[in-house]
Every structure is written in structure tokens, then in C-alpha cells.
Amino acid sequence: MKTKKNLPFIPERFRVSPATLLMDRLMTGLIMVGGVAIIVAVFFIFVFIGFKVAPLFRGAEVAEGSSFPLPERDIVAFGIDEWREVPYFLTSEGEIFFVDLEDDSKRHKNRGIFTVDSELPDGFEVADFRFDGLRDRVVFSSTDGRILIKQISFVTDYGLGTSVRMIQPEIESLPVVTLGRQGYPVVEPVYSEGERVRLIAGIQLIDGGQELHLATLTQRRTPFGVGPLELGEQINMTEHLRGEVIQLLIPDTADALIIGYASGEVDYFRVGTTGKSELVQTFQPMQDLSGDGTFHKMEYIFGDQTIIFFNKAGDHNAWNLAFIQTEEFTGRRFVLSKEFESLPLAPEGYAVSRRNKTFLTTAGNHARLTLMTTMADRWRADLDFTPRQALIAPRYDALLFLDTENNLHTKEMVDDHPIAGMTAYFSKIQYEGRPGRITDWQSDGGADFERKLSMIPLIIGTLKGTVYAMFIAVPVALLSAVYVSQFLRPGLKKVVKPTMEIMASLPSVILGFFAGMWLSPLISNAVPSVMLSIIGLFLGAVLMGLVWSNLPNRIRLRAPSGLEFVIVLFPAMLVGWIGWQMGQVVENWMFVQYDDVLNRDVGSFRMWVVQALGWDFETRNALVVGFAMGFAVIPIIFTISEDSLSNVPNTFKSGSLALGASRWQTAMRIIVPTAAAGIFSALMIGFGRAIGETMIMVMATGNSVVQDFNPFTGMRTLSANIAVEISEAEQNGTLYRTLFFCAFLLFVFTFTLNTIAEVLRQWLRKKYRAVE
């Protein structure tokens, strides 16, 4: 018999089949290609998201346009139609003329300079006027106390069987009314059309003094329609004047009157539907700025909730109406909200946008476009001409200037996302109607509504949901992984682990539906029972474990190895059930509050949280999210952690047990540290799942924008915000791109987290590659 040493050497035995080598090379190549493809795909996703987000952080792009010479007339104001084809101009004599800027023979003959029903009534000598560029309205006052209101509008006609656009201006003149005493001039005329009333106000000059008159305009409704506009109540408010008046304002709601004095003070009157007024507030807007505390002019921003005040030094600030609630006063008052960078000179031209909160100012040859909400300059430039009047095109697509030589300059503008930017996303802002600076998310509203697009509450909501989910998932998943990998019988392990892996495949929409429809009402109505049952399960397991460990060996050895959990499980469940039953008793004993409906004391944890702690309590809250998200994250953390623990070499475990360590000491001091890198990876993957979860957050949180870590309130996360808002977002609009920015932040979070996790994992792997 030949020994092993005498066996002949056969090289063919160690040769690999060419087919095997080919398959090995093919699979290696496919794996490499797949890995590179994933990296490239992630890179291009990042680039695509960045491409969608980049326009949000650009300023207004203003380009040179056309210039049109106008006739030598004393032009005091001008406006234009939305197509920017037929501007109109107002002269100091009260004449309104139009200029046809289009010269297209296919459309019509150029009309040049023309007028449309712009004559003033006989004997109407203009004393003053008020031009409202937002509404294309002019209010004239005469030297004999009469008021004339002209409304300019444009009718678009495409003609029959043609697509050629024809812009036809129209001027509607309201009936002339007399304000105050007849025969005396009226200056500073103002007019507003509210939903329930129309108001006219003006300053009448009588014997070197001033009288303030306020009047309502009414239209009677008859079975045959609406009657003519008539002068209603007239109120002499002269007794309320405290000095020389330089300007009046009435908001578009026609429920207030703002009086500006030469002394720099401002009075805010609330006006009722009958014209009766009540002084609400007196303030001096420019008191804390340079100069003597007086202001040069005051103008509303679109929406008529904020007034911009300017002084002759170029300083300007914004005061907005905010709801104030104190012991002395409850209601809306003006508060200082913004202080802008000063202009080089006193402002000459001022215009506001009809689509957002931007305003355009000119001082000398300097022009500036500013967004009131964020105080950001969207555009600024020193022009090569000196403008005396300015206008923002109705569609917010151009800036128009009238210079000192009567030339009309048009500058094309692209500013699709004025409300976006780092300030809007990450800074506290004082919005209209609010007395202080806040961070908030509120994307919908009317045309004059300030969109609130702060990322701060979404980031806080994302972290809040993730923290509560991990707080519940991590202890359960890690302890379960340690027990299953080190103590459970192999036969049961073959059942438990696949079951947990199947749990990881449950659709999150099912978990969210389950949490929102069943779990949230259950938990919100029985918080003490839930807490006591969880504490009971933990304490029952610990106490039973202590009792079991102190039993004699002859008793403990009778239990099959790996089935000790059965002995602990049933007593722990019993204690948990007792805790659930005791929840109502504890609630009636410790959390007693007075119920105004029942007129008696009742035991209510929910009322106690609201009344005693001053916290909010919502049915769909972070506690519900913690349980639902924990159920989704536990299988992921458990599976990866258990694999890491099971892959620790048996020699480590055998050596520890041989040196006299217990099974528990071996698991916690040898196995767990050795598998620390894998466990850390499991935690990071679970954290990534929690931070990017969508459907559970949408269905179980209520999606309320909350900025606290109160476990009894909901939240809105970045991912849930995308899901909720995307259906309302106009393609390539500000909200649409902002949702991409939410995705960009999630991408950055997860990329940064994974990078840090990989560095720490390598460090842990190096540290625990051998047990010291």
C-alpha cells in the first residue's frame, strides 16, 4: 500500500477548467460593471437634483431692452397692460394718453399716441391726484372739492378666425362726488373698494388749515340690478388730526385709514362699514433711524398688510399688521418687521409687483429690486440714465423706467423664484400677520400670501420621527439579535430569523394604515396603560431572570438549553397585562383634571398633559410613529446584527467559556465587541430607513408642522412633505423645485451619514479585529 508521501504528483489535478475561469472572469466583470453603474447612477441623480435646485438660488436676471421716446409732456405716472404693448401715461393736467409700442402690419396699423375717453368734466380743475399702479386706478381731486375716479382696463380681442392679438384700452369714470365742503380744494385723495364698502378720504384746505373728510360710496341693489354709485355717509375727522397731514392710505379691504403727519407720526384708524372710525394705534416708524424721525413717503406692499416708509436720507423700513395679544390690547397693530439697506439718496420712483412681495425703488441713477419678505435684493444696478418713475410689469417679467428726458426704458427680467433662497429656507423671518420672527412651512394661499418655505421645521420633524423610531427599535432589535445568535436553540433560530426577515418586506403603506387607523386611537386613549404594560414586560422579564439565575443548579439544569425564554416569557406577559389593567386606575388616581363639559373632575392623561404641562396632545403623534416605525426598522437592525454576531469565530466563544466566563459575559464582552462594526452598520442602515420613510410618516403623523420633540404631537418630515405637496406643485415652479431641494437635503443627510458610518465602521473593525 502506497503512503501519501509516495503518491505521484499530477499537475492536471490543480488546473482550473477554462469554462470555470471564463465564468469567473465574466462574473467579476459584471460585478465591477454593476458597482460602477450604481456609482454613476447615484452621481447623475445627484446632478439631476442639483440641476432642478440651482435656479432657486439665483437672483433676478435683468437684460437691456428697448427705449421709446415720449412727447414733451409733464408725465407724473404711468402704467402698462399685461402684454406690455400699450402703456398709458398720466400728465399733471389730468390727461391720460396711450402709446402703441407694436408696429405689426399684420395685426393693425400702429396707432401711435392716442387717447380713450380721458376728458375731465367741465370745470374740473385738478388740485391733486393719487395713482394706484396695482389696480390701474387714478383718483383726481379738484380745486372745488370734487372727486373723480378713473379705472383703466385693457380688453384683448383676437378677432374672428385669426390669432392676431389686439389690445384695446378702456377708461371707466365713476360718478363725480363732492367730499367735504363744496368750493374748497381737496388734496391727498385716496379711494378703496372693499367687499362690503367703498371708502373715499381726502384733506381739504380751508383758510390755511386742513380738514380730514371720510365718506362711503354705496350702490343700491334693486330687482332690476345694481343702481348707480352714490355718496353715502360723510364723516368729518378733523378733530382727530394732531398736526399737518402729508399722506393718507386706505387698504384694499377698505376697513382702515392711515394718516401720516409731517412730524413723522402715523395714526392707524379702524373704519367700519358705516364710515365710523376708531383710533387703534399711533406710532413713529422712522424714530430709530437717521435723520429727524420724519418720513418722506409711505406706500403699501402688494396685499396691503405692510407699509414701507422712506425718509429723505434713503432709509426705509417695513411695518406690518400683526395680531397682538396682551393684557392691555388684543387685536391687530402695526409692528416693525424689516429694516432695509439704505438707498444712496431720497427715493424718487417706487413700484410694487402684482405677483409677489417685491418692490422697485430708484434714487438718482440707482435702481433696486427688493423682496420684502426676506429683505433680499433680487437686483440692483446703477443705470446710464436718471429715472424719475419706475414700474414692475404686471407679469413680473420686465422693469420699466421713465427718465428725466421722457424716454421710456424697458428691461427684460427673469426672476422665477423670488421667494426662494438660503434666507427663506434656513433663517427666521417675520411674516405678515406675525409679531415675531419664525420658521414655518405653509406653501399654499392666495396671490397676496407670503409663502413660508422654511426647511427648519421639516428637518426637525425628520429628526424627531427618526429619534423616536430608533429609541424603540434599537433596544428591541439588538437584544433580540444577541439572544437569538447566542442563546436560542438552533432549531428555533431557523424559524425566528426567516420570520423577522419576512417582516422587513411588509409594505410601509400597510404599517402606516395600521398605525393611523388602529394604533393611534388606541395609544392616545390609553397612554398610561401602554407605558405601564411596557414597563411591566421589562420588569417582569428582569425579575424572572433574577429569580431564575438564583435557583439551584439542579432545577435550572432541567430546563432545555435555549428554551429559558419560555420560562421568562409568560410571567413577563402576566406582569405586562397587569400593567395594562392598572393603567386606568393610575390615570384616575394621578391625572385628575376638571372637565368643563361634565362639570366634574375626571381622570384623563390627555387633559393633564394639556392643562398641567401646557403641552399639545394630538391623536397622531410621535409616540405612534415610534411604534410603527420601530416595527419597520427592527427587522433590518435585527437581521444584520444577528448575522454579524453569528459570524464571530467559534474559537473566541470557546476560549472565553474555557477560561471560566459565563455565557452572558462571553456574549457581552467578547462576541458583541468583535461584531461591533457589523452592529454599527446595522444601526446606520436602520437609521437611513427611518430618516427616509415616507408612507408611515404621511399616514401616522398628521403632517402638522411642529417644531418640538413633544412625544404627543405630530411632525412633518422631508420625505412626507414631498409626498403631500407634490400633487399641488406646478412643474418647474418654486414649490416644485423646493420639493427637489427637500430631496437634495435627504440625499446630503444620507450621504453624509453613510460616509461617517463607514469611517467609524472601519475604525471599529480595526479596533476589534482581535480581542485584547
Side-chain angles (χ1 to χ4, degrees):
M1 181 176 180
K2 293 184 178 182
T3 63
K4 187 174 182 180
K5 293 182 179 180
N6 298 328
L7 289 176
F9 176 74
I10 305 174
E12 288 76 8
R13 294 177 55 193
F14 300 95
R15 291 179 181 173
V16 181
S17 168
T20 303
L21 290 175
L22 179 62
M23 183 60 66
D24 180 70
R25 292 172 183 170
L26 179 62
M27 297 308 297
T28 302
L30 287 176
I31 292 173
M32 291 180 61
V33 171
V36 172
I38 290 174
I39 295 174
V40 171
V42 172
F43 174 76
F44 276 105
I45 291 174
F46 183 79
V47 171
F48 175 75
I49 295 175
F51 176 77
K52 289 292 185 180
V53 168
L56 294 173
F57 301 96
R58 297 174 186 163
E61 299 177 1
V62 179
E64 291 295 332
S66 59
S67 179
F68 188 88
L70 297 173
E72 293 295 331
R73 301 185 188 182
D74 186 14
I75 299 174
V76 293
F78 75 103
I80 199 169
D81 67 292
E82 63 173 332
W83 300 101
R84 294 192 285 122
E85 294 180 3
V86 184
Y88 62 91
F89 301 88
L90 173 65
T91 67
S92 57
E93 294 82 13
E95 179 189 7
I96 300 175
F97 68 91
F98 298 83
V99 176
D100 193 343
L101 299 180
E102 292 294 314
D103 187 6
D104 187 351
S105 58
K106 293 182 179 180
R107 192 194 72 179
H108 55 76
K109 293 182 179 180
N110 189 282
R111 292 169 289 186
I113 299 174
F114 63 98
T115 60
V116 178
D117 298 330
S118 61
E119 295 81 7
L120 297 176
D122 294 336
F124 193 100
E125 183 179 349
V126 176
D128 201 358
F129 74 96
R130 171 74 181 180
F131 175 68
D132 188 347
L134 275 178
R135 300 164 187 86
D136 293 317
R137 180 191 301 147
V138 186
V139 182
F140 295 102
S141 61
S142 69
T143 55
D144 58 1
R146 290 183 291 171
I147 301 294
L148 172 63
I149 302 166
K150 287 182 175 289
Q151 180 67 56
I152 304 166
S153 60
F154 297 90
V155 177
T156 304
D157 185 10
Y158 286 91
L160 296 176
T162 178
S163 60
V164 177
R165 182 175 58 248
M166 181 73 172
I167 306 297
Q168 179 60 44
E170 295 181 352
I171 298 179
E172 178 187 4
S173 297
L174 275 63
V176 177
V177 296
T178 300
L179 183 66
R181 304 189 201 178
Q182 188 172 5
Y184 293 93
V186 173
V187 296
E188 292 297 325
V190 286
Y191 169 76
S192 179
E193 296 180 2
E195 294 183 357
R196 297 183 298 172
V197 66
R198 301 186 185 193
L199 289 182
I200 294 179
I203 298 295
Q204 195 160 39
L205 305 179
I206 300 178
D207 299 331
Q210 292 182 329
E211 289 187 2
L212 173 59
H213 292 273
L214 178 69
T216 63
L217 294 179
T218 61
Q219 279 183 307
R220 295 181 180 180
R221 294 186 177 273
T222 67
F224 304 100
V226 179
L229 194 65
E230 299 176 349
L231 189 66
E233 296 289 335
Q234 286 214 53
I235 299 175
N236 190 338
M237 297 182 61
T238 306
E239 61 179 353
H240 297 291
L241 297 183
R242 298 183 298 105
E244 180 186 354
V245 179
I246 60 173
Q247 193 172 348
L248 299 176
L249 290 178
I250 297 179
D252 60 353
T253 51
D255 59 356
L257 175 64
I258 312 298
I259 305 174
Y261 296 97
S263 62
E265 291 186 325
V266 176
D267 284 345
Y268 165 42
F269 283 87
R270 183 185 297 115
V271 180
T273 56
T274 61
K276 293 184 179 180
S277 59
E278 173 190 5
L279 179 62
V280 177
Q281 180 187 10
T282 297
F283 61 99
Q284 191 163 0
M286 310 298 286
Q287 184 175 8
D288 297 331
L289 297 178
S290 60
D292 55 5
T294 62
F295 61 88
H296 175 60
K297 67 166 62 177
M298 59 180 182
E299 299 290 347
Y300 272 120
I301 283 288
F302 180 50
D304 290 9
Q305 297 296 308
T306 299
I307 302 176
I308 307 292
F309 293 90
F310 299 87
N311 65 13
K312 293 183 178 180
D315 302 322
H316 52 300
N317 58 22
W319 290 67
N320 74 271
L321 276 175
F323 183 79
I324 306 295
Q325 187 172 10
T326 62
E327 294 181 357
E328 297 81 14
F329 177 82
T330 298
R332 282 158 45 99
R333 305 184 70 174
F334 281 97
V335 297
L336 177 63
S337 60
K338 308 286 190 307
E339 290 185 350
F340 303 96
E341 181 183 349
S342 298
L343 295 166
L345 299 170
E348 298 177 5
Y350 174 83
V352 297
S353 171
R354 304 185 187 188
R355 298 203 171 194
N356 49 53
K357 301 291 182 177
T358 56
F359 62 95
L360 177 64
T361 51
T362 62
N365 68 334
H366 180 77
R368 186 182 302 175
L369 181 67
T370 305
L371 178 67
M372 186 275 297
T373 303
T374 61
M375 298 188 296
D377 288 339
R378 304 300 300 168
W379 171 80
R380 62 164 63 189
D382 291 329
L383 306 174
D384 54 3
F385 55 86
T386 303
R388 56 191 177 93
Q389 293 169 32
L391 180 69
I392 300 177
R395 292 190 171 186
Y396 194 66
D397 56 358
L399 303 178
L400 294 94
F401 302 94
L402 183 65
D403 67 16
T404 53
E405 298 180 357
N406 269 19
N407 293 313
L408 179 64
H409 301 270
T410 302
K411 292 185 176 293
E412 302 293 333
M413 180 179 66
V414 177
D415 189 17
D416 296 328
H417 314 289
I419 190 58
M422 297 300 290
T423 301
Y425 291 145
F426 297 107
S427 298
K428 287 188 174 181
I429 297 174
Q430 185 166 349
Y431 295 99
E432 291 181 333
R434 303 293 183 94
R437 298 179 180 272
I438 61 170
T439 55
D440 195 8
W441 175 276
Q442 194 173 351
S443 62
D444 55 355
D448 59 347
F449 176 78
E450 285 183 296
R451 276 186 170 180
K452 304 170 182 65
L453 301 177
S454 176
M455 297 290 110
I456 301 301
L458 305 181
I459 294 174
I460 292 176
T462 301
L463 295 177
K464 179 180 178 179
T466 303
V467 166
Y468 279 103
M470 297 298 285
F471 180 77
I472 293 176
V474 169
V476 176
L478 291 186
L479 292 176
S480 300
V482 171
Y483 183 82
V484 170
S485 64
Q486 303 301 315
F487 301 100
L488 190 65
R489 297 187 71 174
L492 287 176
K493 179 179 177 180
K494 294 180 179 179
V495 177
V496 172
K497 192 176 182 208
T499 303
M500 294 294 289
E501 292 173 347
I502 292 174
M503 286 174 55
S505 66
L506 285 176
S508 59
V509 67
I510 294 178
L511 296 177
F513 181 79
F514 167 80
M517 301 304 295
W518 178 78
L519 188 61
S520 58
L522 176 66
I523 291 179
S524 63
N525 294 326
V527 174
S529 296
V530 172
M531 296 294 103
L532 288 177
S533 63
I534 294 175
I535 295 173
L537 284 171
F538 176 76
L539 293 179
V542 171
L543 292 175
M544 191 58 199
L546 292 174
V547 171
W548 176 257
S549 62
N550 289 313
L551 290 176
N553 287 336
R554 59 185 178 83
I555 298 178
R556 288 191 297 154
L557 292 175
R558 292 180 180 179
S561 178
L563 291 177
E564 296 88 350
F565 75 93
V566 177
I567 300 173
V568 176
L569 180 62
F570 289 104
M573 292 179 63
L574 177 62
V575 177
W577 178 81
I578 294 174
W580 179 272
Q581 299 300 320
M582 290 294 295
Q584 188 62 48
V585 177
V586 172
E587 188 172 17
N588 292 331
W589 172 47
M590 295 184 61
F591 306 107
V592 178
Q593 295 294 316
Y594 184 77
D595 192 327
D596 295 330
V597 178
L598 300 177
N599 293 322
R600 62 182 178 86
D601 291 335
V602 295
S604 172
F605 179 82
R606 185 168 189 162
M607 292 179 60
W608 180 82
V609 168
V610 174
Q611 297 179 11
L613 299 182
W615 295 0
D616 293 330
F617 194 109
E618 300 174 2
T619 301
R620 299 185 178 184
N621 51 49
L623 201 60
V624 176
V625 170
F627 283 107
M629 281 291 295
F631 193 82
V633 174
I634 284 173
I636 297 174
I637 299 177
F638 168 84
T639 300
I640 301 175
S641 299
E642 198 279 334
D643 287 340
S644 300
L645 293 166
S646 297
N647 288 329
V648 174
N650 287 330
T651 53
F652 286 20
K653 181 177 182 180
S654 301
S656 176
L657 294 175
L659 291 174
S662 66
R663 295 167 64 192
W664 177 253
Q665 290 173 328
T666 299
M668 300 308 297
R669 298 185 181 182
I670 303 298
I671 305 299
V672 171
T674 306
I679 293 174
F680 186 76
S681 298
L683 293 177
M684 291 301 100
I685 293 175
F687 190 87
R689 165 69 192 274
I691 204 172
E693 176 56 46
T694 303
M695 292 311 301
I696 294 177
M697 294 297 183
V698 169
M699 304 178 74
T701 65
N703 290 301
S704 54
V705 181
V706 178
Q707 302 182 59
D708 58 41
F709 281 85
N710 177 2
F712 305 113
T713 57
M715 73 219 57
R716 177 175 287 199
T717 66
L718 288 165
S719 57
N721 189 62
I722 296 173
V724 171
E725 298 279 0
I726 192 63
S727 61
E728 303 295 331
E730 179 186 0
Q731 187 172 8
N732 294 326
T734 300
L735 178 59
Y736 178 84
R737 294 187 185 274
T738 299
L739 296 180
F740 270 96
F741 186 59
C742 293
F744 176 82
L745 291 179
L746 277 176
F747 192 102
V748 171
F749 286 164
T750 54
F751 181 80
T752 304
L753 184 65
N754 289 337
T755 302
I756 296 174
E758 181 61 22
V759 173
L760 293 177
R761 190 185 71 83
Q762 293 295 339
W763 178 79
L764 290 171
R765 185 176 182 182
K766 181 178 180 181
K767 180 178 181 179
Y768 294 111
R769 60 185 175 184
V771 178
E772 300 177 355

